[in-house]
Amino acid sequence: MSLVRATLTVVQAVANHMAFTPPNPSNTKQRYHTEEWWVLQIAPFIFKCHLITLWVCALFETLLYLSSLLSTPLPSLPLPTPLQLFLHPLFKLFFPSSTSSIHVTPFFLIGTLSILLGAYIRLDCFRALGQLFTFDLTVHPQHRLITTRFYAYVRHPAYTGSLLLVAGIAFAHLSEGAWLTECGPLSLVPGLNVLVWTLWWVWTLSVGVSRVVAEDQQMKKLFQNEWDQYAVMVPWWFFPGIL
């Protein structure tokens, strides 16, 4: 267990929290695309699960790092002696096994970069749309077509950010060397992390496709020729040249 991994898990949690916190409230009277299956309408709940999961991982990986420090003789620890005496038995109670299995891996670093990039893209979309950006699909009275910044490359970059965040979380925390898979809940059943990753990706992609189809139809109604021209110039939903 290393300080680098513990620090980066906290950075991941902060970035994810910012990216999945609604910048504006949704007006229920302005909503559309409300007839989709309920399993595709639980995105706000899943976003909260993202937040909780990342913060829980950050908490336990940080505690595991401190626990690895407490496995050394007490006088060598950079902590006040009373705090050492209090924390030492506490950590030994909850983390009795070695923490050597929790370590920085290439997948973890790739996941961290993916989370940071996904968060940056989503936050940039928040800035580009301003008051128009809501987590529910809505039409604002002053709605306008945004074609600059990341919207100049793909039509739905906020979903690009979401997909990168989901991929990043999976790479960083559903792979070897993570607390979740080494000694957390996903360590209880072999292969559970692969099943969770697969279901998570299928759901995320299904939600994304369902919403972008509805958004494209709505924007075409609102902006007509302007939208047609934009759709020709920017034909991709999420990733240029791919999808």
Side-chain angles (χ1 to χ4, degrees):
M1 188 64 189
S2 70
L3 177 60
V4 171
R5 180 170 182 116
T7 301
L8 288 179
T9 56
V10 175
V11 172
Q12 291 172 10
V14 172
N16 181 77
H17 193 107
M18 295 172 65
F20 282 123
T21 298
N24 301 295
S26 298
N27 187 329
T28 55
K29 294 182 179 180
Q30 298 170 350
R31 288 187 63 190
Y32 65 94
H33 193 49
T34 57
E35 74 286 350
E36 62 181 344
W37 294 347
W38 71 268
V39 72
L40 300 181
Q41 295 189 44
I42 60 174
F45 170 75
I46 298 299
F47 290 164
K48 291 187 183 299
C49 290
H50 285 186
L51 298 181
I52 294 171
T53 298
L54 263 294
W55 281 115
V56 167
C57 288
L59 171 65
F60 277 91
E61 297 219 10
T62 300
L63 288 175
L64 281 167
Y65 170 69
L66 294 176
S67 176
S68 68
L69 292 180
L70 290 168
S71 65
T72 63
L74 288 177
S76 67
L77 294 175
L79 296 171
T81 301
L83 187 59
Q84 296 175 27
L85 295 174
F86 172 75
L87 291 178
H88 195 278
L90 182 64
F91 283 131
K92 289 304 178 185
L93 175 63
F94 288 102
F95 306 109
S97 60
S98 171
T99 61
S100 59
S101 59
I102 312 299
H103 59 283
V104 174
T105 65
F107 273 168
F108 176 79
L109 295 177
I110 292 171
T112 300
L113 289 175
S114 184
I115 289 172
L116 294 178
L117 178 59
Y120 174 76
I121 291 174
R122 282 186 62 84
L123 292 173
D124 189 75
C125 291
F126 292 178
R127 290 190 291 270
L129 267 68
Q131 63 180 346
L132 302 179
F133 198 108
T134 57
F135 278 14
D136 294 310
L137 300 188
T138 59
V139 176
H140 195 274
Q142 285 80 44
H143 217 99
R144 63 189 186 278
L145 186 61
I146 304 297
T147 60
T148 57
R149 303 174 85 141
F150 283 108
Y151 290 91
Y153 305 101
V154 292
R155 298 207 297 265
H156 304 277
Y159 298 120
T160 305
S162 296
L163 291 171
L164 288 171
L165 278 158
V166 170
I169 294 170
F171 276 118
H173 297 286
L174 298 184
S175 60
E176 180 185 354
W179 166 75
L180 271 178
T181 57
E182 297 294 344
C183 53
L186 296 184
S187 65
L188 301 177
V189 179
L192 183 58
N193 60 323
V194 177
L195 176 61
V196 171
W197 191 345
T198 302
L199 293 177
W200 194 5
W201 255 98
V202 169
W203 178 86
T204 301
L205 194 56
S206 298
V207 171
V209 171
S210 174
R211 290 168 68 99
V212 300
V213 169
E215 286 188 42
D216 282 0
Q217 293 174 348
Q218 186 66 30
M219 294 302 103
K220 183 175 177 60
K221 291 179 183 178
L222 289 174
F223 302 108
Q224 301 177 8
N225 291 337
E226 185 183 1
W227 170 260
D228 290 336
Q229 294 173 8
Y230 172 62
V232 170
M233 291 188 299
V234 185
W236 308 105
W237 281 343
F238 309 129
F239 300 99
I242 301 175
L243 180 62

